[in-house]
Amino acid sequence: MPASPATAESTLPEFIWDEALIRRYDLSGPRYTSYPTAVEFTPDFRVDDMVKAAGRSKAAGGPVSLYTHLPFCAHLCYYCACNKVITKKRDKAMPYVERVLKEAAIQSKLFGADRPVQQLHWGGGTPTFLPKDVMEHLMAGYGELFNLQSGDDRDYSVEIDPREVDEDTLPTLWKLGFNRISLGVQDVNPVVQKAVNRIQPREMTEGVLNEARRIGFRSINLDLIYGLPYQTPESFAETLESVIDMSPDRLSVFSYAHLPDRFYPQTRIQGDTLPSPQQKLTILHNTINRLLEAGYEYIGMDHFAKPDDSLAVAQREGRLHRNFQGYTTHADCDLVSLGVSAIGQTDDAYFQNNHDLPAWEQAIDAGQLATIRGVGLTRDDQIRRWVIGQLICQFRLDREQFQAAWGADFDSYFADELRRLKPMIQDELIGDDGRVLQVQPAGRLLIRAICQIFDLYRKEGASQRFSRII
Ligand SMILES: C[S@@+](CC[C@H](N)C(=O)[O-])C[C@H]1O[C@@H](n2cnc3c(N)ncnc32)[C@H](O)[C@@H]1O
Ligand code: SF4
């Protein structure tokens, strides 16, 4: 098992798999890409609330993160739970991007055009569905509306479907300023690929990854999913060997939750072709062991990274943060989000655009913002967001740091939570020496359950609206 470089302040525990504990604490739980989580967003939070939040953000200044949701995909993957629009018509891309730029013009005024864009992300759907000239048009428009950066410390990332890459795609993205990519893979096994309607030969993925590396992209990530039809512990072990051979800097290994009532495309997947819960647990256990053995670090919440990748470094140094794009090293960025269903964030608010494409288009065409819900944060929400952020990113919480950040005594503020944490301390998911709460090796996989203790909105524990932890 790889040891993390240890310092007095940031010794990361190793990993322990305890199946009895996993079963006891395997409740459904939020992924805490926000706190309060998206289920607390309400339609009472209106466009003018968003405008005021953006105004406060502008007054405070500082760098921003710019997210764009690009929803189109040429083919439907049957497992997919993302907000996407399946179409073969590439000519849909330009009108969409024109509207994104209209929305960007409004938001740039609200948030401030001068603030450095330290982080930029194109997600989807499939951003590489966009023809080259459309990508260029979008980034050129952003260049006029925002203060895009060219320094090495910028993180400009894009989600790539290797099936939607031609010889121009990667050089174009590099020229546009992207320096990080994430490739959707899911599984390299042909039987699994056929069952989920995603034929993507291993050589295709490897070719794109090698080309990206040659061009200079760093922190190259691959997405895998376990729990897909026809996967077995043996088949997934083989997939993992192929992927380790490709040597990505980061790996996301997501759990597939089969919810055909919620995600219509999943009705094309037959329940009896899925691995059993016990097989899924075995796959996860083997995957973690193998990735640790191969030299990756477990960052938490489905994410692995090589020890020299910026995510692993930031975690060791206590600088890791989490937002809607997952883990990030950019703590102080407010999130300006554009496109259908996109979620923005400031110090004291979250707000989401309409997730229905025609409705989003209608709002933009009327010269309006498309915010349909959100939530304003109380001071208590901000405090709890900080606490959950420390636990989920750093796996530790220092009472002195809490006092310094919030001017409050941790033990008095969280007396009830500390009482409810006791069984977890007894079960050695988390340790408490009176100064620091430290997530223990057996607690790292169950971090969502630990975080839920500090979540005011789920004091009673599990809520069925969240996917299962494992
Ligand atoms: C927007 S897609 C990535 C970019 C591109 N569309 C692609 O598929 O290559 C984001 C990722 O979400 C994950 N994902 C989508 N649906 C999922 C589901 N039902 N369960 C778990 N992961 C899922 C996949 O790993 C996918 O790569
Ligand atoms: S996984 Fe990616 S390519 Fe497949 S449908 Fe979802 S967003 Fe589109």
Side-chain angles (χ1 to χ4, degrees):
M1 206 168 285
S4 307
T7 66
E9 284 304 304
S10 64
T11 308
L12 287 179
E14 290 182 342
F15 193 88
I16 290 180
W17 181 275
D18 184 326
E19 202 143 326
L21 288 181
I22 288 167
R23 292 189 185 285
R24 186 171 324 151
Y25 290 102
D26 181 18
L27 315 167
S28 55
R31 307 172 60 76
Y32 293 112
T33 50
S34 71
Y35 181 85
T37 62
V39 291
E40 310 307 330
F41 294 8
T42 93
D44 298 339
F45 189 99
R46 294 169 189 281
V47 169
D48 50 327
D49 296 308
M50 183 277 190
V51 169
K52 284 182 201 145
R56 289 191 297 275
S57 164
K58 184 178 181 177
V64 292
S65 175
L66 183 59
Y67 174 75
T68 313
H69 194 78
L70 299 161
F72 304 111
C73 300
H75 311 273
L76 175 67
C77 309
Y78 296 155
Y79 56 80
C80 184
C82 303
N83 185 4
K84 78 260 165 217
V85 174
I86 308 295
T87 178
K88 297 269 190 290
K89 297 186 182 140
R90 305 274 162 177
D91 56 3
K92 286 194 172 184
M94 191 57 109
Y96 181 82
V97 158
E98 291 291 9
R99 289 189 175 97
V100 167
L101 287 173
K102 254 180 107 175
E103 186 183 25
I106 305 175
Q107 294 218 31
S108 143
K109 280 205 190 88
L110 293 176
F111 281 92
D114 299 338
R115 299 167 70 181
V117 178
Q118 210 170 73
Q119 195 183 19
L120 179 144
H121 185 78
W122 286 3
T126 300
T128 46
F129 174 94
L130 302 188
K132 189 178 151 209
D133 59 320
V134 181
M135 291 188 196
E136 288 167 346
H137 183 64
L138 180 56
M139 205 57 127
Y142 281 171
E144 287 170 19
L145 295 166
F146 296 102
N147 182 7
L148 299 185
Q149 301 293 292
S150 54
D152 267 359
D153 60 343
R154 78 188 192 285
D155 272 343
Y156 284 21
S157 58
V158 54
E159 289 168 17
I160 290 188
D161 178 345
R163 298 169 303 164
E164 293 288 329
V165 170
D166 64 26
E167 71 267 16
D168 283 341
T169 311
L170 293 175
T172 300
L173 290 167
W174 180 257
K175 224 171 60 210
L176 292 180
F178 287 99
N179 55 5
R180 299 187 171 217
I181 59 166
S182 175
L183 304 180
V185 178
Q186 329 313 347
D187 195 322
V188 299
N189 184 299
V191 177
V192 177
Q193 290 190 354
K194 184 158 183 277
V196 298
N197 196 37
R198 183 178 179 124
I199 305 299
Q200 182 178 323
R202 178 214 142 116
E203 298 71 32
M204 179 190 274
T205 304
E206 195 164 19
V208 173
L209 190 145
N210 288 341
E211 173 67 356
R213 192 169 277 144
R214 193 189 61 71
I215 291 175
F217 288 96
R218 58 199 164 87
S219 292
I220 298 174
N221 178 80
L222 294 192
D223 286 342
L224 299 178
I225 304 181
Y226 70 98
L228 292 177
Y230 301 110
Q231 279 178 345
T232 62
E234 294 72 28
S235 81
F236 202 74
E238 281 173 22
T239 286
L240 211 54
E241 289 312 314
S242 291
V243 165
I244 289 169
D245 264 0
M246 296 185 212
S247 192
D249 306 289
R250 299 178 184 178
L251 269 166
S252 309
V253 189
F254 299 119
S255 165
Y256 173 65
H258 189 56
L259 302 167
D261 294 341
R262 241 176 93 191
F263 303 107
Y264 185 71
Q266 296 183 358
T267 53
R268 306 285 291 269
I269 293 178
Q270 302 307 318
D272 60 3
T273 62
L274 298 172
S276 67
Q278 183 56 49
Q279 278 182 311
K280 267 187 87 179
L281 262 188
T282 305
I283 293 175
L284 179 63
H285 189 185
N286 295 348
T287 298
I288 294 173
N289 277 347
R290 182 66 189 104
L291 289 178
L292 293 177
E293 191 186 86
Y296 287 86
E297 287 187 8
Y298 178 63
I299 302 296
M301 297 294 299
D302 321 319
H303 289 276
F304 298 81
K306 286 186 178 170
D308 58 351
D309 184 84
S310 59
L311 276 194
V313 174
Q315 186 171 57
R316 284 198 297 274
E317 294 175 356
R319 294 184 290 104
L320 195 62
H321 286 79
R322 200 164 156 77
N323 67 16
F324 285 106
Q325 284 130 54
Y327 289 103
T328 160
T329 54
H330 297 283
D332 43 356
C333 289
D334 284 346
L335 184 57
V336 178
S337 276
L338 305 168
V340 63
S341 74
I343 300 177
Q345 172 181 353
T346 65
D347 203 29
D348 58 13
Y350 295 104
F351 28 85
Q352 181 166 28
N353 275 347
N354 206 312
H355 55 263
D356 177 57
L357 184 60
W360 174 83
E361 289 171 347
Q362 209 176 15
I364 303 302
D365 290 348
Q368 290 161 4
L369 287 165
T371 310
I372 52 154
R373 56 188 198 133
V375 65
L377 273 69
T378 62
R379 181 176 157 79
D380 178 68
D381 290 332
Q382 289 173 310
I383 289 175
R384 289 173 189 272
R385 172 167 71 181
W386 189 91
V387 166
I388 288 172
Q390 292 291 308
L391 290 170
I392 210 162
C393 295
Q394 266 63 253
F395 287 128
R396 72 196 296 277
L397 188 138
D398 184 320
R399 285 177 168 82
E400 267 177 32
Q401 281 178 6
F402 177 85
Q403 174 84 40
W406 298 102
D409 177 61
F410 184 80
D411 291 347
S412 320
Y413 199 94
F414 289 113
D416 179 49
E417 284 75 7
L418 284 168
R419 185 183 54 72
R420 288 188 293 122
L421 204 59
K422 280 211 173 110
M424 292 188 175
I425 294 176
Q426 268 153 20
D427 283 336
E428 295 184 9
L429 296 190
I430 186 161
D432 186 2
D433 64 4
R435 191 175 71 89
V436 170
L437 287 176
Q438 175 75 57
V439 177
Q440 297 299 302
R444 298 185 79 185
L445 200 61
L446 298 165
I447 188 66
R448 290 198 222 187
I450 296 172
C451 289
Q452 271 192 90
I453 296 278
F454 294 92
D455 182 340
L456 185 71
Y457 303 95
R458 12 216 74 76
K459 271 209 160 183
E460 301 315 316
S463 153
Q464 288 315 310
R465 283 178 296 179
F466 296 99
S467 60
R468 287 175 73 78
I469 292 176
I470 305 295

